[in-house]
């Protein structure tokens, strides 16, 4: 245990330290006297050292600052790249929607031009394209459950695509106008000359029309449309009248009984997406 003398000695030392601290603080705040001179002296000695140290450390501070800025810049770049990718995706979706709306508008114009009577349009999407170079068939995502039946016309924004062939519950195959087995009665819109259209059998951009009138004048650039039902009601046409097909490009053996009219179709069967099936009321289907 400590004796009383030791305790008194420690208390005296503590009191002395407190008094000395008060005196030094008072002198320091006063800014005068020996303490102030000592402070100024110390500052004069230390200040050049601090300046040299600051200059020496500046490259290291700049280097750490560069690393910090680079780190933040990389983070900002990742954010910008992510935003850019999101905008690209949104732009792609908007462009796809615009294309669909344009196709829909074109299809509606074709339907409005044609005399479809009691046919009801059913929108469909091409899900399987023809694997052959002749582009003879495609598969659509609508079938018997949607009112689609064999033989019904199929159109798109450009005009006639073909006709429905095989139908199942939720899909159907469509025979295209470029199939050599396809045929349709047609009419030249400007002159009214009629004929039968078939595929050339090797070129998806070339259809052949054999006219029925000798010396019938056919002009290059004339529009070819479907003829529709003939006067013989026993053989009604599968296609309503006035569906656009294409334009006349050349005429072989013009003015003869065997003249052949070459027609470039409006529809590019190699790039089909959305189409419309002109369906009949189920009650009228045999």
């Amino acid at each position: 245990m400590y004796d009383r003398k030791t305790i008194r000695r420690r208390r005296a030392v503590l009191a002395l330290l407190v008094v000395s601290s008060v005196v030094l603080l008072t002198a320091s705040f006063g800014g005068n006297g020996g303490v102030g001179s000592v402070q100024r002296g110390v500052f004069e000695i230390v200040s050049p050292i601090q300046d040299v140290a600051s200059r020496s450390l500046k490259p290291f501070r700049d280097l750490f600052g560069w690393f910090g800025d680079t780190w933040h810049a990389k983070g900002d770049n990742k954010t910008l790249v992510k935003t850019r990718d999101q905008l690209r995706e949104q732009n792609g979706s908007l462009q796809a929607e615009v294309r669909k709306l344009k196709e829909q508008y074109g299809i509606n114009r074709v339907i409005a031009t044609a005399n479809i009577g009691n046919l009801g349009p059913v929108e469909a999407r091409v899900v399987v394209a023809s694997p052959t170079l002749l582009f003879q068939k495609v598969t659509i995502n609508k079938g018997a459950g949607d009112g689609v039946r064999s033989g019904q016309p199929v159109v798109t924004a450009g005009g006639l695509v073909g006709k429905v062939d095989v139908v199942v519950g939720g899909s159907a195959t469509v025979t295209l106008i470029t199939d050599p087995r396809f045929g349709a009665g047609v009419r030249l819109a400007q002159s009214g000359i009629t004929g039968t259209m078939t595929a050339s059998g090797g070129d998806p951009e070339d259809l052949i029309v054999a006219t029925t009138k000798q010396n019938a004048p056919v002009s290059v650039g004339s529009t070819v449309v479907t003829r529709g039902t003939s006067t013989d009601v026993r053989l009604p046409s599968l296609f309503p009248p006035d569906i656009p097909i294409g334009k006349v490009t050349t005429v072989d053996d013009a003015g003869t009984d065997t003249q052949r009219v070459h027609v470039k179709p409006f529809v590019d069967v190699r790039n089909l997406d959305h189409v419309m099936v002109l369906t009949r009321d189920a009650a009228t289907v045999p």
Side-chain angles (χ1 to χ4, degrees):
M1 295 183 60
Y2 298 107
D3 55 14
R4 291 183 178 181
K5 183 183 287 187
T6 302
I7 293 174
R8 285 196 298 270
R9 188 182 300 117
R10 290 185 176 182
R11 287 180 178 177
V13 172
L14 178 61
L16 181 61
L17 290 174
V18 171
V19 172
S20 299
S21 299
V22 172
V23 172
L24 289 173
L25 288 172
T26 303
S28 177
F29 283 114
N32 298 316
V35 175
S37 299
V38 171
Q39 286 179 331
R40 286 191 294 273
V42 171
F43 179 76
E44 290 177 356
I45 295 172
V46 173
S47 180
I49 298 175
Q50 289 178 332
D51 183 58
V52 172
S54 177
R55 292 180 181 179
S56 301
L57 293 176
K58 186 177 184 304
F60 296 98
R61 290 199 304 269
D62 293 343
L63 180 61
F64 284 116
W66 179 83
F67 278 118
D69 293 341
T70 302
W71 180 268
H72 290 298
K74 287 183 177 179
D76 293 340
N77 185 59
K78 289 181 179 179
T79 302
L80 291 173
V81 169
K82 183 178 180 181
T83 302
R84 180 203 64 188
D85 293 341
Q86 290 175 344
L87 291 175
R88 282 181 175 176
E89 183 177 353
Q90 293 175 1
N91 183 55
S93 299
L94 289 175
Q95 289 182 348
E97 186 65 24
V98 168
R99 286 195 298 269
K100 182 178 178 181
L101 290 174
K102 286 182 177 179
E103 289 177 355
Q104 185 63 55
Y105 175 73
I107 292 173
N108 289 340
R109 288 187 61 184
V110 169
I111 293 174
T113 302
N115 182 15
I116 66 173
N118 65 345
L119 300 183
V122 171
E123 182 181 356
R125 185 168 57 88
V126 175
V127 292
V128 179
S130 172
T132 68
L133 295 177
L134 298 180
F135 302 98
Q136 297 176 355
K137 294 182 183 295
V138 294
T139 302
I140 59 175
N141 65 341
K142 295 296 174 66
D146 305 287
V148 175
R149 301 291 185 271
S150 178
Q152 292 173 344
V154 181
V155 301
T156 190
L160 186 64
V161 170
K163 63 180 179 180
V164 177
D165 188 4
V166 180
V167 182
V168 293
S171 63
T173 59
V174 176
T175 299
L176 302 175
I177 57 177
T178 51
D179 190 318
R181 294 165 295 180
F182 183 89
V186 299
R187 177 175 59 86
L188 274 67
Q190 288 79 3
S191 63
I193 297 172
T194 60
T196 302
M197 182 200 73
T198 57
S200 64
D203 185 354
E205 293 191 352
D206 185 31
L207 306 175
I208 304 297
V209 175
T211 61
T212 57
K213 293 183 179 180
Q214 183 180 4
N215 297 324
V218 178
S219 301
V220 172
S222 297
T223 300
V224 178
V225 299
T226 54
R227 183 173 58 194
T229 301
S230 64
T231 55
D232 187 353
V233 295
R234 293 174 299 175
L235 296 173
S237 172
L238 293 174
F239 309 100
D242 300 322
I243 298 177
I245 295 176
K247 283 188 177 296
V248 175
T249 56
T250 57
V251 181
D252 297 336
D253 301 325
T256 68
D257 292 340
T258 58
Q259 67 178 349
R260 285 158 51 93
V261 180
H262 293 264
V263 177
K264 182 178 180 179
F266 291 129
V267 175
D268 183 0
V269 296
R270 295 164 294 187
N271 294 288
L272 292 173
D273 189 6
H274 290 85
V275 298
M276 197 76 76
V277 183
L278 303 182
T279 63
R280 292 178 174 81
D281 189 330
T284 65
V285 178

